[in-house]
Amino acid sequence: MEMITVKFDGQEYQVPRFVSILEAARSVGFDIPTLCHYKDLVETGACRVCLVEVKGMKALTTSCTTPVHEGMEINLHSPRVLRARRHSVELILSNHVNDCLHCTANGRCELQKAAEKCGIREIPFEGKMTTPSIDRLSPSIRRNSSKCILCGRCVEVCKKAQGIGILDFIHRGFETVIGPAENRSLTQVPCIYCGQCVNVCPTGALYVHEEVHRIQKAQVDGKHVLIQVAPAVRASLGEEFDLPIGTRVTGKMCTALKRLGFERVYDTNFTADLTVMEEGTELLTRLKKHLMGEKVALPQVTSCSPGWVNYAEYNYHELLDHLSTCKSPQMMMGALVKSYYAQKNGLKPEDIFMVSVMPCTAKKYEKTRPEMRHETYADVDAVITTRELGDYIKSCGIDFLSLPDGEFDMDLLGDYSGAGALFGVSGGVTEAALRTVYAITQGHEYGKVVFESVRGLKGIKETTIPLKNIIIDGKRSGINLDLKIAVVSSTKNAKILMDQVRAGTSPYHFIEIMGCPGGCINGGGQSFIKPGLLTFQEKLTMNDLLMKRAKAVYEEDASRPIRSAHLNPLIQNLYQEFLGYPNSELAHKLLHTHYHPRTPFPNIEE
Amino acid sequence: MKPISAYAKQRLSQIIDHYQTLTTPLMMILSDFQKEFGYVPLEVQEIISKRLDIPVAEIYGIVTFYSMFSLKPKGKYVIGICLGTACYVQAAQQVANRLEEILGIKPGETTSDGLFTIDILRCLGACALAPVMVINGKILPHVKVNDLQRIIDEYVRKEALVHESAH
Amino acid sequence: MNRLTSIQNLRDSLAQAKLDYIKLLNGGKVVFVCGDTGCLASHSQEVKEKLDELVKAEGLQDNIKIMYAGCFGLCSQGPFVKVYPEGTLYRLVKPSDATLIFEKDLKGFGIVESLVFKNPDSGAIYAKQEDIPFYQKQKAIAMADFAPIEPDNIDHYMGIGGYEALCHVLENKTGEDVISIALDSGLRGRGGGGYPTGVKWRYARMQQDPQKYLICNLDEGDPGAFMDRAIAERTPHIILEGMMIAAYGIGAIRGFIYVRAEYPTASLRLQQAIDLLRTKGLLGEKILGTEFSFDIEIRVGAGAFVCGEETALMASIEGKRGMPRSKPPFPAVKGLWGHPTIINNVETFANLPYIFRPGGLEAYKAIGTEKSKGTKVFSLAGKIKNVGLVEVPMGTTLRELIFDIGGGIEKGKKFKAIQTGGPSGGCLTEDDLDTPIDFDNLIARGSMMGSGGAIVMDEDNCMVDVAKFYLEFICDESCGKCSPCRIGTTRMKEILDKIAAGTAVMSDLDTLKELAIFIKDASLCGLGQTAPNPVLSTLTKFYDEYKAHIIDKTCPAKVCKDLIQYRINPDTCKKCGICAIHCPVNCISGVRGKEAYVIDQMACIKCGTCLSSCPFDVIRKV
């Protein structure tokens, strides 16, 4: 790497050549305060916090936008610079609602951190505030523009990373607000509730609707309260307790949940295994029809990501029959608990309160879908995020870090294979499905259990699995099939593949689509990875942080004694005792669903 | 909001086609539609969004950024008051205030009978005629505060005559 | 329309056009009627139509030609009519005067004395344009000598020397030569920044990327400035010729003219001129058989002052909100759609034909001051007698501009200040009147050149109110991207509102100054960086006026609504009751013919209707 010499506050340093002042300073141990800056997402210098003084420039300049050059002389903390940074933050605070102590972002707010770093002690510029836009209609994501600092990260992530663009800057000047078209509620535009915007929002302007209080109400009402936990949660929950990003905390998590007093602590990975069985069978059915020359909706597309399902319902009305009819693992668990578990324990479904801990914000919406509810009860009653669980554990006075390792309940539901554990990361569903589909069609396990080609965080991954002399309905067919599979994450990449399907040019049999870039490990409900909240060391490696969570998920898979869904004894038991066989009538009734086309911008009365 | 007419849809399609050889033609499309139909409602934004593959929120953000684009139809008579510096120092603000009082609306708004809209303009470049008022493109020079009632009355009378003769 | 396929073709056309134009002005009667927006609003169209009618009625179309010309500059004396071959300039021509001009002048019976300029003191008559004092100290380069030509007539433009420079450049100069000439000329950007044009062009030329763009900034957002509009409406070709020379120099393949939405006529004239050039072969592929290919497209704005800032302008062309971005990278390196782009102001382009014609460089360098060569067009407006467009050599003093050319303050009032640079500039006062105008001098005196808006203020203008006006404009036009400008200017405006309402305290001035210095230092773009200038300038030069508002709670100039009252003089009131009839809130009481009228101060909304309707001038602001 080419190095050059610059001066910071009169002293010479060797820094890389083709970087910004901010990065150059970081390379030698300076952490200039920033606010709106988010690497590769927003590097516009809009907040005017990272200001520095450069010799030869009349005005101050933002260090995140200005490249260094040989011999540049920069002052990082002269009185002029420090005063200007303070004023930038003070002005933002003068147009910011002052409810830090009861805000969802309290302790997780980059503006709080900036105010701390810049030494704010007063707000000398008081005056009117921008007219607030408050949207509390959605069960998932909510907005309060009086906390917005107009950094534009949410706009960029929704537009560039997700390829959707629900949010943008509207109006001009002091009345500028970030919102959807017509500043509608998120419930009236094609927002899929993936929560990527919440993951990048520096303050509490975009936040997730919290449901922990529902658990407590259910307990007071004397309900039978049980909980399930998604695979990606355990790869992130530790961060809520300041453990390094990607520390796998399955053991402590189970102990904490047990101590919180839930009747059962089940693992959603169990129903992930179940999804593999149901969806794998569904795929084989479609393949069989296809091989027999029947018209059938191929490629089959996964449906366990509710954000992706929302996206499909808004944008691909005519392709909805490509989606697997399987419910997501969360909803399958809810359905089983309110039927099988209820029966087995002599309970009425109305008296059971099913809580899910999810890395996902769209799942808060998913549980409200009419297909997931019955006349007098819902399959899942409350969904809380990883962050909410962390808060709940703390508010109950449990010291997470000192907990011994515990286990999930595995009496009826809850034992899981490594396959189910993989659902938390992009490519996981595919790998899990392949282990079973291969076994069924080839009559023996796939030699190596890990399908490397679908691992990692690349947005679009492909693989072809040659299947020879496929077993259909228990008999060798003599047919060979190269099973073509694509794995995508983020709706931006989903669009590319679905447009192919629409045009009739898709070469695949099976497409896994996760709504969030990288999969559930990067869901809208996970612990925040935001620049202002990271340690100095973490800031230097921001791009690699997500991969650590992925590794935790792979570790979980590797740690399981059983690696494939069809070999999970509890799953086998469930079919024997209750469901019969995959895609049976009962399985269809409980574990499958259907989808509806949705209007992106419905007419609303003024 | 009322849906746009089939004619407006057709014209919109023609406008988009007309500019298809231009790189990033969005401003030209919006300007032409605004000029011809007086507003750019969400329905039009959705159509443009599909044709140009730009998110609707982005188009809405552009329509609300620029003063010349209107989300609601304007009144039959659009009254522009110039508040450029040259007009301002010739007491144009007083003229603007008085007009708001007479019509009972703020700049950007339209009277409930759909007759008048007030727009604040920033310099038409006719500074020798300060203070300048424009009604539907017709420039009225050297407007005084006590001319306003008379001017408005004239237009109201004109409307009443049109209304009468239609019956 | 004959297409030109070689430089020789063009040369021949130019020679012919010059002959034709001389013939036109020295033959039978030719009448030019000003068709600029301002004069049109004063019924110049009816003047021309009436003249057409009269000529046609007597079948004299072959002997008497009536046509439109562009702005004559002295807008407050419009509509203008100029008659050749004598070159008589008539002003304030009403449609009813058309008959007089036709019967007397056009029929050869001499000039109409009542319609020519008259010196108000000596009574001397100035029938010819060049004798009129208004024009004496001017040097019209960008305004093309104020020569009367039909705006949409390329032959007229060529007749006054147009396209001579382009021809010379294509025939004898390389692109590198063009850059050298630009550098040598000392030409500085006329949009306000005053950046050396040649330096900017050289950066762009140096870039490897072959896809280079040239943009003409016709956003002219400064309220009170209309030079660019006039240049575009009267001589669209001068802009196009300038653009072609610049494009040749930097190696641009496409040009854009960004026209603000409020200038539809300018847009139309430019488009017509572009279409004409394409037909003639002067725009397009391999122009006149050379390797130079260039074409121009018009793009429109939609009402955003900030789009005058070059990065916001490019964002607008790219179909986005006009929000500026940080520099570096500079547009010359990475601009429109990521390619090297040069943005220049209309007036900058309008100077190029003069500089690049044979002998032009030396002539140009001889005009102006050492660091500011050439001339500057100002739109002189406000409380001045001669409102209009003037073009003066750099080095002309403010005193000359305001009093000799501008005719001094109207209505016998006292000069207070002249505001230059629009919302980015400052005020110059009595003490600054002998300053020779140039880029650096104006900055040294606390203002800046700006695009050319020069608003004259008199004793009846309140400088606190002026500062508040500019801030309100900035708050409206701020794009909202960066916190210092978005929030800071609103906070500054709030303080000024308090000062104007008489509710401020002296420490508010400290806060105001602190904010102003911070916003200048920390804003993302030029709009924010210069927004505090009017406040800082008036705070320095009119501190006492601010103090009066705060400590005495009075507005010395009697402008700020909350600090004044309208009073009817009870002794001189003629009891006519007209004021009461006009009062919109019925707060004036009295008895017609019997009792003097009195304004109820509690109910009065300070609209000023009573004062402007009183026929006896007995109402005052106190």
Side-chain angles (χ1 to χ4, degrees), chain B residues 57-100:
Chain B
E58 187 173 327
I59 299 178
Y60 186 82
I62 287 158
V63 168
T64 54
F65 180 84
Y66 295 96
S67 325
M68 302 295 267
F69 297 138
S70 176
L71 291 167
K72 296 202 181 99
K74 299 223 167 180
K76 185 161 178 191
Y77 301 107
V78 180
I79 306 178
I81 304 249
C82 178
L83 283 185
T85 322
C87 287
Y88 186 82
V89 302
Q90 298 281 12
Q93 184 69 61
Q94 281 194 333
V95 174
N97 293 345
R98 187 77 192 100
L99 188 63
E100 286 175 41

Side-chain angles (χ1 to χ4, degrees), chain A residues 36-44 46 150-169 178-179 194 196-198 200-201 206 490-492 517, chain B residues 55 57-58, chain C residues 320-321 323 481:
Chain A
C36 67
H37 184 254
Y38 194 112
K39 193 159 157 59
D40 297 329
L41 193 67
V42 166
E43 294 176 287
T44 56
L150 295 177
C151 64
R153 290 180 188 173
C154 55
V155 175
E156 288 303 299
V157 88
C158 190
K159 202 186 295 198
K160 299 278 162 60
Q162 290 293 65
I164 304 180
I166 292 297
L167 298 169
D168 216 304
F169 288 84
I178 293 186
C194 67
Q196 292 307 297
C197 52
V198 177
V200 296
C201 179
L206 283 163
S490 87
T491 44
K492 181 170 90 163
Chain B
E58 187 173 327
Chain C
K320 301 192 195 123
R321 289 162 62 92
M323 288 163 70
K481 183 166 179 174

Side-chain angles (χ1 to χ4, degrees), chain B residues 22-24 27 31 61-62 65-68 83-85 88-90 94 98 101 122-125 127-128 145-146, chain C residues 223-224 226 229 260 299-300 302-303 316-317 319-322 337 382-383 465 469-470 476 566 584 605 609 612-613:
Chain B
L22 255 60
T23 322
T24 61
M27 286 291 278
S31 292
I62 287 158
F65 180 84
Y66 295 96
S67 325
M68 302 295 267
L83 283 185
T85 322
Y88 186 82
V89 302
Q90 298 281 12
Q94 281 194 333
R98 187 77 192 100
E101 282 160 20
R122 297 286 186 181
C123 198
L124 297 143
C127 309
V145 165
N146 59 338
Chain C
F226 56 101
R229 177 184 67 66
R260 69 192 292 242
R299 293 293 183 117
V300 292
S316 188
I317 295 180
K320 301 192 195 123
R321 289 162 62 92
W337 302 306
K383 302 296 188 64
D465 184 61
F469 164 78
Y470 278 122
D476 265 350
Y566 283 80
I605 58 169
T609 308
S612 76
S613 56

Side-chain angles (χ1 to χ4, degrees), chain B residues 130-161:
Chain B
V132 172
M133 199 160 96
V134 192
I135 304 186
N136 284 6
K138 176 165 161 219
I139 296 186
L140 279 79
H142 303 301
V143 177
K144 300 261 176 312
V145 165
N146 59 338
D147 292 331
L148 288 172
Q149 191 65 63
R150 179 182 46 80
I151 296 171
I152 297 294
D153 288 343
E154 244 171 66
Y155 278 91
V156 170
R157 220 176 302 131
K158 201 157 61 159
E159 271 309 290
L161 285 175

